[in-house]
Amino acid sequence: MHRVLVIVCASVAAMKAPFVLRRIRETGCETRVIASDSALNFVTPLALSSASGNELYTRGSWFSPQAGAQHLELAHWAEAVVVVAASADFMAKAALGLADDLGSATLLSVRCPVMWAPAMNTAMWEHPATGAHKAKLQSWGHQFIGPTSGKLGTRGEGEGMGRMLEPEEIAEQVKRVFAPKDLAGKKVLISAGPTREYLDPVRFVSNPSSGKMGFAVAEEALSRGAEVVIVSGPVSIPAPAGSKVVPVESALQMKAAMEDHFEWSDLVVMTAAVADYRAAEQKHEKQAKISEQVTIEMVPNPDILAALGQKKGNRVLVGFAMETHAGVERAAGKAQRKNADFICLNYPTREGTSFGGDDNQVTFVFPDGTFQDLPRMSKREVARLLLNEAMQRMQ
Ligand code: C5P
């Protein structure tokens, strides 16, 4: 079991610290927790100790005749440290190497990876002092996870930059620290989500793709050390932390963005549900409603995967295909035509694997018609197996 030390600072978001601890433990890690004196104004000692499954460490437990200096003991114990509800004050202390309480003294004593999940008011986050301290900490290899923009807890603030990442996202980042880095140095280009083919400025043809499959591949690749670019159609799920997202709408925009990053990539995964057709003419003004039947002329979109397949080089190319019948045969034909290494075939009609769900059931289909059936599993697990398969083909 990996050992994660959580340091809790005084910020309104400290009340989420027990959830952070719980989520980290759910990833299979053991946790210990230090809280600053003022953090305990926002969250109770019992909530923290019961969520961590261990005693709570505070200034009061810093030195004891039995345990000695706790900062050295905790620093030796930890395999990763995450500072949550990280305040501007605590960042400043750490950046200066101050060690006047148990948390800061421990931070100065660790040699393991350190992550920061800041939570503060927008003005404090944007202050040059905070920026300078962040840069200093980063120069020592500390990793910042968030903050993000959103609702802030403080009075009258409303929305703004400075919101702490959600406990699940923090736990996900912590998990990445321990994942085997078998994709380190690899560059993964992923297309995700639907495309929108506008008929006029306010109407478009699209599909219900959620982007979840592509984002799961991105998260898995990031956790294994890859660099990731996602070319994404319009989706409503948050981008995986650490990825670069290139937002696009139409198939033509997606093609251009994929081509821009193709040279850079080692592996391309096309999970996007690209619209097969676009309007022959995109009207520049909103079309008035008319009572008669209308006919819209559509022209085929270019096949992005096939176009990339033509200049594949040493890259590994993976596509997705949805079929309702003769799946393996049709997918093998697509893998051949598009010059893909394999196609992940899925069936929209199968239970639990429809658009937008968290699970998928795929069959890897190879150009020679051989295939590997997988059972239903989470999209993240599909992503893991997909990347394993792709890795075997990478030079
Ligand atoms: O031919 P079909 O649309 O079933 O192929 C699906 C695969 O091809 C997916 O990987 C999809 O992202 C990709 N595709 C594409 N450009 C298109 C249509 C599909 O890259 N215009």
Side-chain angles (χ1 to χ4, degrees):
M1 240 200 237
H2 288 294
R3 302 182 301 269
V4 179
L5 176 65
V6 175
I7 300 177
V8 187
C9 301
S11 157
V12 182
M15 65 175 84
K16 291 192 191 164
F19 297 98
V20 174
L21 285 158
R22 180 138 302 179
R23 297 286 102 85
I24 293 174
R25 287 179 69 196
E26 281 167 6
T27 69
C29 295
E30 190 186 344
T31 58
R32 290 191 186 177
V33 56
I34 300 175
S36 71
D37 299 345
S38 344
L40 296 176
N41 293 327
F42 295 96
V43 59
T44 70
L46 192 56
L48 290 171
S49 58
S50 52
S52 91
N54 268 311
E55 67 182 287
L56 170 68
Y57 297 87
T58 60
R59 187 189 290 278
S61 51
W62 194 348
F63 291 98
S64 82
Q66 299 84 22
Q70 282 295 337
H71 63 289
L72 298 178
E73 157 62 20
L74 288 166
H76 178 71
W77 176 87
E79 290 176 278
V81 175
V82 54
V83 186
V84 305
S87 61
D89 177 68
F90 197 68
M91 282 172 62
K93 274 165 90 164
L96 290 172
L98 299 183
D100 65 346
D101 65 7
L102 180 56
S104 55
T106 307
L107 207 50
L108 201 62
S109 314
V110 295
R111 295 185 193 275
C112 63
V114 178
M115 279 163 287
W116 291 80
M120 67 189 78
N121 152 289
T122 309
M124 291 171 95
W125 175 250
E126 289 176 352
H127 196 285
T130 310
H133 296 142
K134 177 186 174 209
K136 173 62 84 184
L137 295 165
Q138 282 177 317
S139 74
W140 299 334
H142 292 203
Q143 191 196 338
F144 274 78
I145 49 177
T148 182
S149 185
K151 212 158 175 268
L152 296 174
T154 40
R155 187 155 50 102
E157 272 290 335
E159 302 259 323
M161 183 53 131
R163 185 179 163 86
M164 188 170 79
L165 290 192
E166 292 305 320
E168 297 71 31
E169 294 170 284
I170 295 173
E172 178 63 39
Q173 295 280 346
V174 172
K175 199 168 116 192
R176 276 186 204 165
V177 172
F178 303 117
K181 302 286 179 265
D182 58 346
L183 287 172
K186 299 287 183 218
K187 298 180 170 76
V188 182
L189 175 61
I190 298 163
S191 73
T195 66
R196 282 181 183 174
E197 309 301 331
Y198 279 89
L199 308 176
D200 69 21
V202 294
R203 300 188 182 92
F204 53 79
V205 174
S206 189
N207 61 68
S209 170
S210 64
K212 281 186 180 174
M213 191 61 241
F215 281 37
V217 176
E219 272 166 12
E220 178 66 19
L222 285 161
S223 77
R224 288 160 68 165
E227 279 180 67
V228 172
V229 172
I230 312 172
V231 174
S232 178
V235 294
S236 57
I237 52 174
S243 62
K244 174 184 166 192
V245 177
V246 182
V248 295
E249 289 199 279
S250 67
L252 292 181
Q253 288 169 353
M254 183 172 276
K255 180 167 186 280
M258 290 298 285
E259 284 176 343
D260 280 352
H261 293 87
F262 190 66
E263 228 9 75
W264 164 88
S265 69
D266 299 306
L267 165 65
V268 179
V269 185
M270 279 289 305
T271 69
V274 185
D276 289 320
Y277 297 91
R278 67 179 185 280
E281 187 197 351
Q282 189 185 321
K283 304 274 199 276
H284 294 296
E285 287 169 358
K286 184 183 170 202
Q287 298 302 291
K289 184 159 65 180
I290 42 173
S291 50
E292 295 131 63
Q293 198 172 327
V294 290
T295 302
I296 298 165
E297 199 187 339
M298 307 285 284
V299 293
N301 269 327
D303 191 312
I304 304 169
L305 182 56
L308 299 178
Q310 302 239 312
K311 45 186 177 179
K312 183 172 185 286
N314 290 329
R315 289 171 198 81
V316 173
L317 249 60
V318 182
F320 272 71
M322 249 181 194
E323 306 290 355
T324 52
H325 64 283
V328 169
E329 201 181 311
R330 292 167 67 96
K334 282 177 188 177
Q336 274 174 27
R337 269 198 313 283
K338 301 185 191 216
N339 204 16
D341 289 81
F342 62 98
I343 292 272
C344 303
L345 163 67
N346 48 167
Y347 298 89
T349 44
R350 274 192 192 159
E351 186 177 333
T353 64
S354 56
F355 273 122
D358 292 321
D359 287 354
N360 207 348
Q361 183 175 1
V362 307
T363 303
F364 294 152
V365 182
F366 303 94
D368 62 3
T370 55
F371 62 93
Q372 187 191 345
D373 261 329
L374 300 177
R376 178 178 164 180
M377 57 184 77
S378 69
K379 286 185 173 170
R380 180 62 186 263
E381 188 60 11
V382 172
R384 192 177 70 79
L385 298 177
L386 181 161
L387 290 175
N388 287 352
E389 194 63 47
M391 270 288 283
Q392 286 182 21
R393 292 171 161 70
M394 271 194 248
Q395 284 191 335

